[in-house]
Amino acid sequence: MVDIRLDAQWIDYAIIALYFVFVLGVGWYAKRGVSTSIEFFLSGRSLPAWVTGLAFISANLGAVEIMGMSATGAQYGMPTMHYFWVGAIPAMLFLGVVMMPFYYGSKVRSVPEFMRMRFGTGAHLVNSISFAVAQLLIAGVNLSLLAIIVNRLLGWPMWVGLVLAAAFVLFYITVGGLSAAIYNEVLQFFVIVAALLPLTLIGLHRVGGWSGLKERVADDGMLGDEQLHSWPGQALSGFDSPILSVVGIVFGLGFVLSFGYWTTNFVEVQRAMASKSITAARMTPIIGAFPKMFIPFIVIIPGMLAAVLVGELTEFKELDFAGDAAGATATGVTYNDALLLLMRDVLPNGLLGVAIAGLLAAFMAGMAANISAFNTVVTYDLYEQYVKKGASDSHYITVGRIATAAACVIAIFTALIAGSFSNLMDYLQALFGFFNAPLFATFILGMFWKRMSATAGWAGLVAGTLSAVGLWAASTFFGVFELPGQGLAFVCAATAFVVDIVVSIVVTQFTAPKPAHELKGLVYSETPKADLVDADEKTLPFWRRPVPMAGIGLVLVVILNIVFA
């Protein structure tokens, strides 16, 4: 087994300890602002756009972003950029411009609650339960990786790291609620950048700069030059045909998976709901889109650097592409180790401590985001709606804290599931295909088609989810067909989306729609435009208005796609 133990010294431990002192301090400080359930679950809808915008992007900087994307970067190279420039930015801008006015304006406390108002209790219950399950599974991913860092750093057994990490998150969310999570996410954003930027720069220096990296990658004898171009990305998509690869990436990732995740995932939307106005809520994902564009350069590039600088990972990659699974396993590393291996080999002490703190920050931000969204949905959408209505505010806060504790304990066990995947992106994209893709289909159809019925809402969700799970099982367990790379996740997501739309349209033809007067604030055609914007928005400078800033963001992401094509 390869030793990936990080050679941390006292200065590194001091930096890490200082970070944890700040985390616990922020949680304790946020406790002062928690006296009602809205303050505990939604920060009293009082936060400025720049705070919620940074929290929005930091909540996503968990295992998916840091370890998952660096692992995929080590495996496939530049095509991994699609997860950001195709699979995130357009959907984030769409959320800010089109969908946030409905979420915020309807004064719902969660995305499933919006589903209840639009489609009734059937779709609401399906969405609430599937969302809660998904958050426990994804929290386990962040927790698993956090425990790996502690294991590499201190040599402690994995279970000790799992318990300690869960305890830290449990403390600051239980004490300070969503405000503690959000303010810690803002802190964590800057810690993450401070950790990954030096790692990228030092790694590039070691390999001879950008030109040196390109030369080493092009000569690696595996994917070669294909790793230096984002399009058509056949290795990533799993399609041999360049045309099918582009279609799969644009439709499967860029439309279904991306819009499904960013526009309906309450983990992200909750941050925008905590804003102080509709304009601030709309600006939240748009502000987040700008740093999101450039995060690939400090996440994916280190993965590519690790694949050419770290001997063990280079050997693993060669054996993996040669189809020698036994030989690849014998190396003792996987793609998920890319970032740790690069840190081990290139960072001096001091910077190593910052990097470790940055990874811990990323995983805690991701897990805290999952847990804070989970406790809100369990309390408002399941407990209050179906178990005990009309209880006191303090009672619901207590329930939320119990849900937080339960989620942290359950996440310890779901972390064991995550640990069985050599590339966590495969696992996570499968989860998003199961839960987010059909939800987006239901949302987008229901928001723009007033005729869609309540029965169609839950029937489409169930059919879409089952079709994705069935397709994934047919490939994974029964070998009916095989798609390498992320192709299976793209196909499952696209299938779930199409099945949901078809079933919803068919069921609507045989069931009654809701009366039009009940759809105000829920359906575009029935909502006055004045209800979707703040009265003073036109008086604001352009950098504080959603539409101009979204336009600038869209132009920038198109330029990035062209430059790195």
Side-chain angles (χ1 to χ4, degrees):
M1 178 66 73
V2 173
D3 182 16
I4 315 180
R5 181 77 178 269
L6 303 177
D7 184 27
Q9 302 298 320
W10 69 268
I11 183 65
D12 304 308
Y13 290 108
I15 292 169
I16 296 164
L18 182 64
Y19 164 70
F20 275 102
V21 168
F22 271 100
V23 167
L24 297 179
V26 168
W28 190 256
Y29 178 80
K31 179 184 178 183
R32 302 188 311 166
V34 177
S35 58
T36 68
S37 61
I38 285 293
E39 288 172 343
F40 183 81
F41 294 111
L42 287 175
S43 300
R45 300 186 193 271
S46 61
L47 301 179
W50 73 269
V51 170
T52 54
L54 288 179
F56 185 94
I57 204 63
S58 184
N60 184 247
L61 277 172
V64 182
E65 221 60 358
I66 306 301
M67 298 288 270
M69 290 301 176
S70 63
T72 310
Q75 188 172 5
Y76 301 117
M78 293 293 288
T80 311
M81 300 290 189
H82 292 315
Y83 285 105
F84 298 81
W85 299 339
V86 175
I89 304 302
M92 292 169 69
L93 300 177
F94 181 83
L95 171 64
V97 172
V98 177
M99 295 187 72
M100 272 318 303
F102 289 93
Y103 287 139
Y104 196 90
S106 62
K107 296 300 179 187
V108 296
R109 298 165 298 182
S110 70
V111 170
E113 188 171 30
F114 186 91
M115 288 287 284
R116 180 175 62 80
M117 293 175 66
R118 175 63 180 89
F119 295 112
T121 55
H124 173 254
L125 189 59
V126 171
N127 182 207
S128 300
I129 293 173
S130 65
F131 177 83
V133 170
Q135 297 324 297
L136 293 174
L137 292 171
I138 298 170
V141 173
N142 286 292
L143 190 55
S144 171
L145 289 172
L146 207 158
I148 289 173
I149 299 299
V150 174
N151 174 261
R152 301 293 193 247
L153 173 62
L154 301 173
W156 292 356
M158 288 288 289
W159 71 267
V160 176
L162 290 172
V163 172
L164 285 178
F168 267 95
V169 173
L170 174 63
F171 172 81
Y172 75 76
I173 294 182
T174 302
V175 170
L178 182 63
S179 292
I182 284 179
Y183 282 116
N184 261 318
E185 283 159 6
V186 173
L187 166 67
Q188 287 157 345
F189 173 80
F190 291 106
V191 173
I192 291 164
V193 173
L196 296 180
L197 184 59
L199 179 65
T200 306
L201 294 176
I202 293 172
L204 282 172
H205 177 73
R206 285 279 185 95
V207 82
W210 179 245
S211 59
L213 175 62
K214 290 171 66 176
E215 184 178 336
R216 292 281 292 274
V217 168
D219 294 339
D220 72 0
M222 290 165 279
L223 289 175
D225 190 59
E226 185 180 336
Q227 297 172 88
L228 299 172
H229 302 281
S230 59
W231 296 101
Q234 290 141 285
L236 180 73
S237 69
F239 294 106
D240 292 330
S241 164
I243 295 174
L244 286 178
S245 180
V246 171
V247 171
I249 289 170
V250 171
F251 183 68
L253 173 63
F255 181 61
V256 179
L257 276 171
S258 172
F259 278 69
Y261 177 83
W262 291 102
T263 65
T264 65
N265 187 359
F266 183 51
V267 172
E268 305 298 333
V269 173
Q270 187 181 29
R271 273 81 197 135
M273 284 182 173
S275 301
K276 62 183 180 180
S277 66
I278 285 183
T279 300
R282 295 177 74 194
M283 285 298 297
T284 294
I286 295 170
I287 289 172
F290 287 90
K292 179 76 173 179
M293 287 181 209
F294 300 101
I295 285 171
F297 295 110
I298 59 172
V299 174
I300 295 170
I301 300 300
M304 296 173 66
L305 286 164
V308 298
L309 281 176
V310 180
E312 302 99 316
L313 191 61
T314 301
E315 182 185 1
F316 172 84
K317 187 173 180 179
E318 289 172 350
L319 292 168
D320 179 51
F321 273 90
D324 184 358
T329 301
T331 63
V333 302
T334 69
Y335 294 116
N336 291 330
D337 296 314
L339 213 59
L340 289 176
L341 290 165
L342 188 66
M343 287 166 52
R344 181 199 68 182
D345 287 3
V346 308
L347 287 183
N349 291 114
L351 279 179
L352 182 60
V354 175
I356 295 169
L359 288 181
L360 295 175
F363 304 144
M364 288 180 67
M367 182 182 174
N370 298 129
I371 299 298
S372 60
F374 173 86
N375 68 27
T376 303
V377 168
V378 167
T379 303
Y380 282 149
D381 293 289
L382 294 174
Y383 184 81
E384 182 183 17
Q385 181 65 29
Y386 300 105
V387 180
K388 190 170 185 178
K389 293 184 178 180
S392 67
D393 221 36
S394 60
H395 178 76
Y396 292 126
I397 293 177
T398 301
V399 171
R401 286 177 169 146
I402 292 172
T404 302
C408 289
V409 172
I410 294 169
I412 293 173
F413 295 97
T414 61
L416 303 176
I417 300 173
S420 65
F421 286 78
S422 66
N423 187 334
L424 285 166
M425 282 305 300
D426 296 338
Y427 176 56
L428 288 160
Q429 291 304 318
L431 291 179
F432 295 150
F434 297 164
F435 299 117
N436 293 102
L439 183 59
F440 172 60
T442 299
F443 256 92
I444 206 70
L445 198 60
M447 191 173 284
F448 291 98
W449 187 33
K450 66 179 182 180
R451 173 71 179 82
M452 185 175 175
S453 68
T455 306
W458 70 261
L461 270 180
V462 171
T465 299
L466 291 179
S467 68
V469 172
L471 203 62
W472 182 79
S475 174
T476 305
F477 297 122
F478 303 109
V480 176
F481 65 96
E482 184 177 351
L483 272 177
Q486 301 293 314
L488 179 59
F490 297 167
V491 170
C492 287
T495 301
F497 180 86
V498 172
V499 168
D500 188 304
I501 292 286
V502 171
V503 170
S504 297
I505 291 173
V506 171
V507 172
T508 293
Q509 307 309 313
F510 300 96
T511 50
K514 290 185 74 170
H517 69 271
E518 295 182 13
L519 299 177
K520 181 182 177 183
L522 304 172
V523 176
Y524 192 81
S525 62
E526 300 301 313
T527 305
K529 290 187 178 179
D531 292 357
L532 302 177
V533 295
D534 287 318
D536 65 344
E537 183 185 306
K538 290 184 178 179
T539 66
L540 298 173
F542 80 90
W543 62 84
R544 293 179 59 191
R545 299 205 311 271
V547 174
M549 291 305 294
I552 293 171
L554 191 59
V555 169
L556 283 175
V557 82
V558 168
I559 292 172
L560 286 170
N561 268 290
I562 293 171
V563 170
F564 290 94

